[in-house]
Amino acid sequence: MLPYAPPIDEIDFLLRRVLDFDGQMAALPRFSDINSDLAVDILTEGGKFCSEVLEPLNAVGDKHGCSLKDGSVATPPGMADAYRAFAAAGWTTVSADVEYGGQGLSRVIQILLDEMLSSANLSFGLFAGLTRGAVEAIEHHGTEPLKAAYLPKMISGEWTGAMALTEAGAGTDLGLLTAKAVSQGDGTFAITGTKIFISSGDHDFGGNVVHLVLARLPDAPKGVKGISLFLVPKFLLNSDGGCGERNSFGVASLEHKMGIHAQPTCMMTYEGATGWLLGEPGRGLNAMFTMMNAERLFVGIQGLGIAEIAGQKARAYAEERLQGRSSDGALAPVAIVEHPDVRRMLLEGKSFTVAGRALAMWVALQMDIATSHPEKTTRDLANGYVELLTPVVKAAYTDMGFETAVTAQQIFGGHGYIVDWGMEQYVRDARITQIYEGTNGVQAMDLVTRKLIANGGAGARGFYALVRADLTAAASIETTAALADKLAPALEKLEALTQKINHLSGNLAYITGYSTDILRLFSHVALGWMWVRIAAQAMPNDAAWDGQPETAKFFMDRMLPKAAVLADIVDAALADSALEAAA
């Protein structure tokens, strides 16, 4: 099997021609010295680390898993050394604030690095991704002393972070959590309780592990309004800022999981552990969602990364595996890539990964604009796009990532079911992405009951206007006219459904049963939009565009028609909901 090949040529094409990355960065003072050349150079080196260091550890980590002995977690062979090398090379600092030792690079670069990490070694990538989420929460809600004490070492990779939210009786419904926090009279709080499913809860990399823990103060009301967020480090700090006395919490057990075996998923027990309040009392969910929104985009990118690597392996296998006869009746066996149904399976994956990468990069660019553009109206507009598309990227990408992994496994036939080829690991690893950081059903409900109706649907209408403008321009271009003609009806159906949802905004309980269909419909339109934008930048004899016209046409002919079916299903459901409301 060929090693993982980071998709640098596609990234280069998307940066320069589809996203106008250089022009967009030039408009943002914070990023004005960043351009496509720099981004490609950084990602080329990051890709080498992923391919040469991390992918060889993927099967090793899956086989050995993590272990717990005397309360200490041991990660699989090579994992700790790889993480220290990763940190030493500066990969933990890419998008972090320069004030605390970060490089302050574009989110676009960060998301593309995250994709490559997810392709090469999903379990490994979680350590850095969760730490980055914790850093962002501390940066936004921590006091200046807390930020000074923790952010530099977390950003450098010397220390890591974890989110301790879930309890056995409180998963998605965090209002049910029971962990307690009691003031100790000196600005600290004693945290007591048990948390489950804590990714990166502990490890053997050295340094501190900084937990962000949701808990209730004694006088807190029931429900989500009574939850506060606390910073609880594994080690309390010495006067010099280094690791001192062990805090009073630990790993009670490690979960035995379907996949991501190299990632320590812990049950944590806090026994009066010392913690510091992050943000305001009772506003823990507000502080938590600073990291959760970024983490949900990160998880969506994990789905994209799995789809990319699974598709690469499947294509390489299909080009080498001889089986069956060609359609012209020749007796000699042919590579299975010659069989139409195998090509269909490969194109299903490719039609997602190329357009999915483009859309993820566009969302990341909106994140940059939302934090750095000099005009507030532009920042607010970009932030609205990010909020609208966050549940779409998380849910659609992880669903499609899992589906692509299963389809790629199918191409291997019986060999796909055998451990030696690695395909079954991609299927097992991808499955968790549809569940954690908010299940995909929850993401779909968020889109329908919050994002599509926010501000009377203004954000959705603004996004649709962007798509329509590109379709209008594409209609006059020979290479894109047919693509635009096929996407336009799907956009119209999505717009009409969005209007109906807004009219029923006070009676959406019924329609939530169809929210997954609505999210998938939205994702098909968004991915189709990216295919139109990609095709509009195609040039004759362009190596980066080689093979893509077939994929773009395949998406419009074979994938997009599903949008019409979804729209009809949801339209009928909305009509029933309207009848119920009238009754």
Side-chain angles (χ1 to χ4, degrees):
M1 290 291 289
L2 294 174
Y4 167 60
I8 300 300
D9 288 343
E10 285 183 12
I11 288 170
D12 192 306
F13 174 80
L14 294 173
L15 285 171
R16 297 181 195 278
R17 304 250 290 279
V18 178
L19 292 178
D20 183 25
F21 183 71
D22 292 358
Q24 297 284 1
M25 291 294 102
L28 305 177
R30 177 181 169 189
F31 301 118
S32 59
D33 58 346
I34 298 173
N35 56 37
S36 297
D37 289 338
L38 176 64
V40 170
D41 286 346
I42 290 170
L43 292 166
T44 298
E45 291 305 309
K48 288 179 182 177
F49 189 93
C50 291
S51 180
E52 296 172 5
V53 178
L54 298 183
E55 190 190 15
L57 293 175
N58 198 37
V60 174
D62 185 62
K63 178 181 178 180
H64 288 271
C66 297
S67 60
L68 181 65
K69 185 176 181 181
D70 298 328
S72 296
V73 170
T75 56
M79 184 72 83
D81 288 341
Y83 193 84
R84 286 189 282 267
F86 181 79
W91 296 115
T92 60
T93 70
V94 168
S95 61
D97 194 328
V98 294
E99 182 179 352
Y100 300 103
Q103 297 183 56
L105 297 174
S106 165
R107 282 274 189 173
V108 178
I109 298 173
Q110 181 67 66
I111 271 186
L112 291 167
L113 176 62
D114 289 339
E115 181 203 330
M116 295 190 293
L117 289 169
S118 301
S119 287
N121 196 316
L122 186 63
S123 292
F124 181 95
L126 276 162
F127 288 105
L130 289 166
T131 301
R132 188 167 63 251
V135 162
E136 292 181 6
I138 297 168
E139 186 176 356
H140 282 84
H141 301 284
T143 63
E144 291 303 321
L146 283 179
K147 289 191 281 189
Y150 288 94
L151 291 183
K153 291 185 178 180
M154 294 177 73
I155 288 170
S156 72
E158 184 178 347
W159 296 352
T160 62
M163 299 186 296
L165 316 178
T166 307
E167 298 179 8
T172 299
D173 189 354
L174 291 170
L176 299 175
L177 68 80
T178 60
K180 298 178 181 179
V182 178
S183 174
Q184 302 188 103
D186 59 357
T188 67
F189 295 80
I191 313 298
T192 301
T194 299
K195 301 287 184 177
I196 63 170
F197 304 158
I198 311 307
S199 300
S200 302
D202 196 34
H203 52 67
D204 53 358
F205 301 170
N208 218 337
V209 184
V210 182
H211 287 219
L212 301 191
V213 184
L214 285 179
R216 292 183 184 281
L217 293 167
D219 58 350
K222 293 181 179 180
V224 296
K225 292 184 178 179
I227 301 171
S228 300
L229 185 65
F230 299 87
L231 184 157
V232 187
K234 178 179 177 179
F235 296 101
L236 302 177
L237 304 189
N238 289 326
S239 58
D240 64 359
C243 293
E245 179 184 354
R246 176 74 183 256
N247 208 345
S248 52
F249 72 86
V251 182
S253 65
L254 289 175
E255 304 293 351
H256 299 280
K257 311 185 297 291
M258 175 180 177
I260 57 168
H261 292 160
Q263 171 58 221
T265 306
C266 306
M267 174 187 286
M268 307 296 306
T269 56
Y270 303 86
E271 300 173 335
T274 300
W276 287 260
L277 181 68
L278 280 181
E280 300 175 26
R283 299 273 292 168
L285 286 189
N286 179 60
M288 182 197 73
F289 274 108
T290 299
M291 56 182 171
M292 284 294 285
N293 286 333
E295 291 301 307
R296 285 172 174 172
L297 289 169
F298 169 57
V299 172
I301 299 306
Q302 292 177 340
L304 176 64
I306 287 286
E308 174 65 33
I309 186 67
Q312 284 189 20
K313 303 292 185 180
R315 175 166 291 280
Y317 181 83
E319 290 174 346
E320 296 177 356
R321 173 70 167 171
L322 300 179
Q323 196 91 150
R325 305 292 183 266
S326 65
S327 58
D328 63 6
L331 295 179
V334 297
I336 62 173
V337 73
E338 299 297 327
H339 300 312
D341 194 52
V342 172
R343 290 202 300 275
R344 172 193 62 80
M345 290 189 280
L346 290 170
L347 283 168
E348 282 184 1
K350 191 70 173 176
S351 70
F352 160 54
T353 56
V354 177
R357 182 175 300 112
L359 183 62
M361 293 166 68
W362 185 84
V363 174
L365 183 57
Q366 300 311 304
M367 296 174 78
D368 287 339
I369 294 171
T371 59
S372 307
H373 198 277
E375 296 180 6
K376 185 179 185 304
T377 53
T378 302
R379 293 197 304 271
D380 291 345
L381 187 63
N383 188 61
Y385 293 145
V386 174
E387 290 185 350
L388 176 68
L389 284 161
T390 292
V392 176
V393 171
K394 195 284 179 185
Y397 281 36
T398 56
D399 280 347
M400 294 179 188
F402 177 73
E403 292 160 10
T404 302
V406 170
T407 302
Q409 182 189 36
Q410 186 74 16
I411 291 171
F412 280 74
H415 294 290
Y417 201 68
I418 303 302
V419 170
D420 302 45
W421 291 86
M423 301 308 294
E424 54 84 37
Q425 184 187 346
Y426 296 138
V427 172
R428 289 185 288 104
D429 284 355
R431 187 65 182 89
I432 186 59
T433 64
Q434 298 169 288
I435 298 172
Y436 60 15
E437 302 299 347
T439 66
N440 286 357
V442 170
Q443 304 305 314
M445 287 191 290
D446 179 43
L447 176 69
V448 172
T449 64
R450 293 188 180 92
K451 304 305 170 57
L452 290 181
I453 65 174
N455 299 316
R461 288 195 301 273
F463 178 74
Y464 301 153
L466 285 179
V467 178
R468 190 182 304 104
D470 280 346
L471 294 187
T472 300
S476 62
I477 303 174
E478 181 179 355
T479 57
T480 56
L483 302 179
D485 286 346
K486 290 178 179 178
L487 183 59
L491 174 62
E492 291 172 3
K493 287 179 180 290
L494 180 58
E495 287 183 293
L497 287 176
T498 301
Q499 288 180 341
K500 291 180 181 180
I501 290 169
N502 272 272
H503 291 151
L504 294 169
S505 59
N507 184 46
L508 286 175
Y510 179 85
I511 199 59
T512 55
Y514 297 85
S515 54
T516 295
D517 296 323
I518 297 169
L519 187 143
R520 181 58 72 101
L521 166 61
F522 192 112
S523 71
H524 275 63
V525 171
L527 293 173
W529 174 46
M530 282 297 121
W531 273 119
V532 170
R533 292 191 63 170
I534 291 168
Q537 297 302 318
M539 293 182 180
N541 304 315
D542 188 337
W545 181 240
D546 184 36
Q548 302 297 11
E550 180 185 19
T551 312
K553 185 176 185 302
F554 177 90
F555 180 87
M556 295 299 182
D557 291 346
R558 296 289 296 270
M559 307 303 287
L560 188 62
K562 298 175 184 178
V565 176
L566 292 168
D568 289 344
I569 292 171
V570 176
D571 203 29
L574 285 170
D576 289 344
S577 180
L579 289 174
E580 284 196 357

